[in-house]
Amino acid sequence: MKLFLKVLFAAIFLWMTVVTIRTSLTVSLWAAWPSYAANPWAIATLYDAYFGFLTFYVWVAYKERAVWSRFLWFVLIMGLGNIAISLYMLIQLMGLRREEPAHAILWRRPR
């Protein structure tokens, strides 16, 4: 399971990074915004994505003890979305000891 999750989140990280760079090189976010904002489904999807990011961040805030780390991850998740989320998951998975199961990433580590 750990290997599967590492491959999954690495693929999401790479795919989203490539898609974001390719799209940014084609059209800037600011130039695309007027037509995007005119589409009600696009705005609904944007709200859905950011509420999902916020939901994930609540778990990150539980996991991270340092205020600076909570702040940093909030900025990264809200700014980079699934790129930051997949990076956070990879960091958590890489931090597991060999004998720890994948579900151990769900809980805060003891001090």
Side-chain angles (χ1 to χ4, degrees):
M1 181 54 75
K2 287 192 288 190
L3 178 60
F4 169 76
L5 291 173
K6 288 176 184 177
V7 170
L8 173 67
F9 288 113
I12 291 169
F13 178 82
L14 291 172
W15 187 268
M16 289 306 303
T17 301
V18 168
V19 167
T20 301
I21 291 169
R22 284 185 57 204
T23 304
S24 297
L25 293 173
T26 304
V27 61
S28 80
L29 178 62
W30 310 120
W33 182 252
S35 63
Y36 185 85
N39 183 336
W41 277 108
I43 297 302
T45 302
L46 192 63
Y47 273 106
D48 182 55
Y50 275 91
F51 281 130
F53 300 159
L54 188 60
T55 300
F56 183 82
Y57 173 74
V58 169
W59 174 67
V60 170
Y62 158 75
K63 292 264 303 171
E64 298 297 320
R65 294 183 185 273
V67 173
W68 68 267
S69 182
R70 288 176 178 168
F71 177 76
L72 174 64
W73 281 110
F74 179 80
V75 170
L76 290 173
I77 291 167
M78 292 302 162
L80 298 175
N82 287 309
I83 294 172
I85 289 171
S86 58
L87 178 62
Y88 187 83
M89 292 303 296
L90 284 169
I91 290 169
Q92 294 299 304
L93 288 162
M94 298 300 187
L96 288 175
R97 291 186 297 274
R98 182 171 240 217
E99 68 276 2
E100 288 183 296
H103 69 267
I105 65 170
L106 296 175
W107 310 109
R108 188 187 273 179
R109 291 206 181 266
R111 287 182 187 228

